[in-house]
PDB file of all heavy atoms in Angstrom:
ATOM      1  N   THR A 116     139.799  89.119 106.849  1.00 93.00           N
ATOM      2  CA  THR A 116     139.820  90.235 105.906  1.00 93.00           C
ATOM      3  C   THR A 116     141.197  90.889 105.924  1.00 93.00           C
ATOM      4  O   THR A 116     141.657  91.360 106.947  1.00 93.00           O
ATOM      5  CB  THR A 116     138.755  91.282 106.251  1.00 93.00           C
ATOM      6  OG1 THR A 116     138.966  91.747 107.595  1.00 93.00           O
ATOM      7  CG2 THR A 116     137.361  90.696 106.160  1.00 93.00           C
ATOM      8  N   GLU A 162     143.511  92.188  84.516  1.00 98.00           N
ATOM      9  CA  GLU A 162     142.096  92.350  84.870  1.00 98.00           C
ATOM     10  C   GLU A 162     141.491  90.995  85.272  1.00 98.00           C
ATOM     11  O   GLU A 162     141.883  89.955  84.734  1.00 98.00           O
ATOM     12  CB  GLU A 162     141.321  92.918  83.683  1.00 98.00           C
ATOM     13  CG  GLU A 162     141.823  94.257  83.191  1.00 98.00           C
ATOM     14  CD  GLU A 162     142.879  94.156  82.107  1.00 98.00           C
ATOM     15  OE1 GLU A 162     143.431  93.030  81.902  1.00 98.00           O
ATOM     16  OE2 GLU A 162     143.162  95.182  81.452  1.00 98.00           O
ATOM     17  N   ILE A 234     120.868  99.763  87.905  1.00 98.00           N
ATOM     18  CA  ILE A 234     121.957 100.474  88.583  1.00 98.00           C
ATOM     19  C   ILE A 234     121.319 101.599  89.380  1.00 98.00           C
ATOM     20  O   ILE A 234     120.686 102.491  88.800  1.00 98.00           O
ATOM     21  CB  ILE A 234     122.960 101.074  87.583  1.00 98.00           C
ATOM     22  CG1 ILE A 234     123.496 100.009  86.629  1.00 98.00           C
ATOM     23  CG2 ILE A 234     124.105 101.769  88.321  1.00 98.00           C
ATOM     24  CD1 ILE A 234     124.232 100.586  85.428  1.00 98.00           C
ATOM     25  N   MET A 289     110.306 110.209  93.474  1.00 97.00           N
ATOM     26  CA  MET A 289     108.981 110.204  92.870  1.00 97.00           C
ATOM     27  C   MET A 289     109.026 109.627  91.457  1.00 97.00           C
ATOM     28  O   MET A 289     108.128 108.879  91.053  1.00 97.00           O
ATOM     29  CB  MET A 289     108.400 111.630  92.851  1.00 97.00           C
ATOM     30  CG  MET A 289     108.245 112.242  94.248  1.00 97.00           C
ATOM     31  SD  MET A 289     107.412 111.147  95.443  1.00 97.00           S
ATOM     32  CE  MET A 289     105.790 111.053  94.711  1.00 97.00           C
ATOM     33  N   GLY A 403     130.298  98.969 129.249  1.00 81.00           N
ATOM     34  CA  GLY A 403     129.774  99.468 130.516  1.00 81.00           C
ATOM     35  C   GLY A 403     128.578  98.651 130.953  1.00 81.00           C
ATOM     36  O   GLY A 403     127.893  98.050 130.128  1.00 81.00           O
TER      37      GLY A 403
END
Side-chain angles (χ1 to χ4, degrees):
T116 57
E162 301 91 346
I234 305 167
M289 300 311 295

